[in-house]
Structure formats: C-alpha cells, structure tokens
Amino acid sequence: MSTATTANNNPESDPNMKTLLEFKKTVLDEQKQGDKKIEEINTRLEAVKKQIDEERMQLDELRTKLKSVNEEKDADYPKFVELRNNLIEAKNQMKSLDDKVGQAKSRRDRSELHGLTKALEQIERDIQTKKLSKEEERKLVARSKEIATKLHTLKMMHKKENQYREISTQYDELRSRVNRIFRQKEEFGNKIGKLKESIESLVNTREALYEERRQVIHAVREAAAKLEMIDTQLNAIAFKKSRMAHGESRQKKTKEMEERRVARQEAMQERVRRDKEYQDRWNALREAAMKKMSSGEKLTFDEMKLIFGDSAQE
C-alpha cells in the first residue's frame, strides 16, 4: 500500500475530519452531562413533589382541626359573652345591695347574720310576751323592721354572692376553654401560615426545576442535532475519501494495464526488429552464397543450407 493511501485511511491526516471528531467528542460529553443533569433534576423534582403532597396533607389536617375549633368557638363564645354579661350584672346587683346597707356595716352584718336572726326572734318574743309601753313597743317594732330589712338584704346579698360565685366559676371555666380555643386558633393559624409559605416556596422550587429541566432537555436535543449534523459531515467526508480512494485504485489499475500494454507492444516491436535484422542478415549471407555459387566457387555446408534451406525453419 502506498504512503498516500495510508494517509487517506488515517482520520488524523485529514484536518477537517480531525476537527469534526474532536467537536463530536465535546458534544457527546455535553449530551452525557445533560442526561445526567436531567436525572438529577428528576430526582430532586420527585423529592419536592413528595414533600408538597405531604405538606398539603398536613395543611388539610390543620384546616380540618381549625374548622373544628371554629365550630367549638362558635358554640362556646356566645355562652362566654352571656356569662360575662351575667357576671357584670350580678356584680352590679351586689354593689347596689351594698349601697343600701352601707358597705362597711353590711360586711360586718353579713358575718353576723345568725346573730341578727336571733335578735329578731328575741324582739318578736319580747313584743309578744313582755308588758311594754306603747313607746317601747313602737321602738321594738321599728327595730324589728330595721333588723328584718337588714336580714332580707343580707339574705339577698348571700343569694347574689352565691349566684355570682357560681356564675364566676362557670365563667372562669368557660373563659379558660375559650382562651384555649383562641390559643389553638392562633397555633393552627400560625402553622397553616407557615405551611402555606413552605408549600408556596416548594411550588416555586418545583417550577424552577421544571424550567431548568426544559432548558437542559433543549440543550440535549441541540446536542443530538449537532451530532446528527457532525455524523452527516463525517459520512460525507468518508464517502468522498472512499470515492477518491476508489478512483485512485481504478486509475492505478488503468495505469498498470497501460504499462503492461506498452511493455507488450515494445516487446513485440523489439521482436519484429530482431526478426527483421535476422532476416536481413540471412538475406545478405544467402545473396553472398548465391554469388559465390555463380562464380563456381566451392560452397560450404552452411552456405548450401542458405541457398537450398528454408528460412522459416531457421
């Protein structure tokens, strides 16, 4: 094989093909990196979508709990307001009764309710059993009315105090319940707010990953198009080189055939020339022998053969 043929079969000898092969290697690396990047993005996307689903489930659960708490609030808060109003009213009634008997004195009398009852009973006995003057009887009746009024007022105050304590106890219990409800509302509201922010952030991350994946897929497709173009050019160069090699081979064969034809022709011409020289020499010797025979000279055996022999046999 000639040096030219070897060079044609070696891609490194063709600058264009060498450049294309190097470019193809670069594009293949880009394509592989793109495919790897797409796999990484898909993995991250799956994790983000899974987290979104989980947090949306948590959000639904919290909303269900918040709805239940709101229903509880709607049921208990009107009772709470009513009890608060009742408590204020009972407190005002107690204050009004205090004002009637005088606050400092009524406080002392309230602790002496039993004594006042005994005193009233004693006055009633005195009125019924003792012999009293009209003035003494009038004073005892007046005193009896005063004590009876105080006793009634103190009993009413005790009743109101009991009502107040009962309402206050119910109010405190309901207030604790309502406060717990509002704390839960705030707690669930804060958790829902944070979850919504987290989900929004995750959704933004998901959309960013979708966009990044679209860009990488576009780049990978561009790389595939480049590879197709490079392969087309490489095939064109290979076809051209093959056609040129085939043309060179055919030209070489044609040249070899022409050289053999020329060699055969030259050999034939050389043979014809030699045959002519031989024939000319034979004719000259035969003519000389004929002349010698005509002059009567004695002929040699070779000369006789020249005269009487067949030149074709020679």
Side-chain angles (χ1 to χ4, degrees):
M1 184 179 291
S2 65
T3 305
T5 304
T6 303
N8 287 336
N9 291 335
N10 184 7
E12 300 296 329
S13 64
D14 190 330
N16 291 333
M17 182 171 281
K18 181 179 179 182
T19 301
L20 282 172
L21 288 172
E22 291 175 350
F23 185 42
K24 181 177 182 179
K25 182 180 178 182
T26 301
V27 175
L28 280 171
D29 289 340
E30 291 176 358
Q31 191 180 45
K32 289 178 181 177
Q33 291 175 3
D35 290 336
K36 183 179 179 181
K37 184 68 175 178
I38 290 172
E39 290 180 4
E40 292 175 354
I41 292 174
N42 286 335
T43 300
R44 291 171 61 192
L45 267 172
E46 289 303 315
V48 169
K49 288 192 287 187
K50 182 179 179 182
Q51 189 173 353
I52 289 174
D53 291 340
E54 290 175 352
E55 292 195 4
R56 279 178 173 167
M57 289 178 63
Q58 294 176 18
L59 184 61
D60 289 339
E61 291 175 359
L62 283 172
R63 282 173 171 165
T64 300
K65 291 179 179 178
L66 182 59
K67 181 181 178 183
S68 176
V69 169
N70 281 328
E71 290 173 352
E72 194 175 356
K73 183 208 74 173
D74 293 339
D76 288 345
Y77 192 71
K79 297 178 184 178
F80 169 75
V81 173
E82 183 181 359
L83 277 175
R84 184 177 60 188
N85 293 335
N86 291 341
L87 189 65
I88 293 172
E89 184 180 355
K91 190 173 182 180
N92 290 334
Q93 289 176 356
M94 287 172 56
K95 184 176 182 298
S96 177
L97 290 172
D98 281 341
D99 291 341
K100 287 182 179 180
V101 298
Q103 186 170 356
K105 190 175 181 181
S106 67
R107 299 292 184 196
R108 185 172 61 253
D109 288 345
R110 263 178 281 172
S111 65
E112 299 173 355
L113 181 60
H114 182 68
L116 288 173
T117 302
K118 292 292 185 181
L120 181 61
E121 291 174 353
Q122 183 62 46
I123 289 172
E124 289 176 351
R125 279 196 301 270
D126 288 344
I127 292 173
Q128 293 175 3
T129 60
K130 287 183 178 182
K131 188 175 181 179
L132 301 172
S133 65
K134 288 184 178 181
E135 181 64 22
E136 289 175 339
E137 184 178 355
R138 184 184 64 76
K139 289 182 179 179
L140 286 176
V141 170
R143 179 63 178 163
S144 172
K145 289 181 179 179
E146 181 183 352
I147 293 173
T149 300
K150 288 183 178 180
L151 279 173
H152 176 73
T153 302
L154 287 174
K155 287 179 181 179
M156 288 296 296
M157 289 184 69
H158 285 182
K159 182 179 179 181
K160 293 298 181 183
E161 284 178 349
N162 291 335
Q163 289 178 349
Y164 180 83
R165 280 193 294 270
E166 183 180 352
I167 294 172
S168 180
T169 301
Q170 293 176 3
Y171 174 78
D172 289 340
E173 291 176 355
L174 195 54
R175 182 177 59 182
S176 298
R177 182 181 175 89
V178 169
N179 288 339
R180 175 183 59 79
I181 290 172
F182 277 97
R183 283 196 302 272
Q184 286 182 332
K185 275 176 59 66
E186 183 179 6
E187 179 185 352
F188 292 148
N190 291 336
K191 287 182 178 179
I192 287 172
K194 289 179 181 178
L195 269 177
K196 288 175 70 175
E197 289 178 2
S198 177
I199 290 172
E200 183 179 358
S201 175
L202 287 169
V203 169
N204 291 336
T205 301
R206 182 191 64 186
E207 295 305 315
L209 287 172
Y210 277 142
E211 179 60 27
E212 184 179 0
R213 186 176 66 176
R214 280 193 290 269
Q215 293 176 1
V216 176
I217 289 173
H218 179 70
V220 169
R221 288 175 178 172
E222 281 189 344
K226 289 178 184 178
L227 288 173
E228 185 176 354
M229 178 189 69
I230 293 169
D231 287 338
T232 299
Q233 293 182 3
L234 287 172
N235 290 336
I237 292 173
F239 176 75
K240 182 178 179 181
K241 289 171 67 68
S242 175
R243 188 172 60 181
M244 289 177 62
H246 179 69
E248 289 176 357
S249 176
R250 184 172 59 185
Q251 186 178 4
K252 181 181 178 183
K253 288 181 180 179
T254 302
K255 183 178 179 181
E256 289 175 351
M257 290 175 64
E258 181 64 19
E259 288 175 351
R260 287 197 296 269
R261 186 188 67 76
V262 170
R264 286 196 302 270
Q265 186 176 5
E266 289 177 351
M268 185 178 294
Q269 289 176 352
E270 179 64 21
R271 181 176 179 183
V272 169
R273 185 184 63 75
R274 286 199 305 269
D275 289 348
K276 185 175 182 302
E277 288 178 355
Y278 177 79
Q279 188 66 39
D280 290 345
R281 190 166 56 252
W282 185 87
N283 289 337
L285 290 173
R286 186 172 184 278
E287 186 178 353
M290 290 290 289
K291 287 181 179 181
K292 189 176 179 180
M293 186 181 66
S294 298
S295 62
E297 295 182 17
K298 187 177 179 179
L299 297 173
T300 63
F301 179 73
D302 290 333
E303 288 174 338
M304 290 180 67
K305 285 178 62 178
L306 286 170
I307 296 172
F308 300 104
D310 188 358
S311 61
Q313 292 178 353
E314 293 295 328

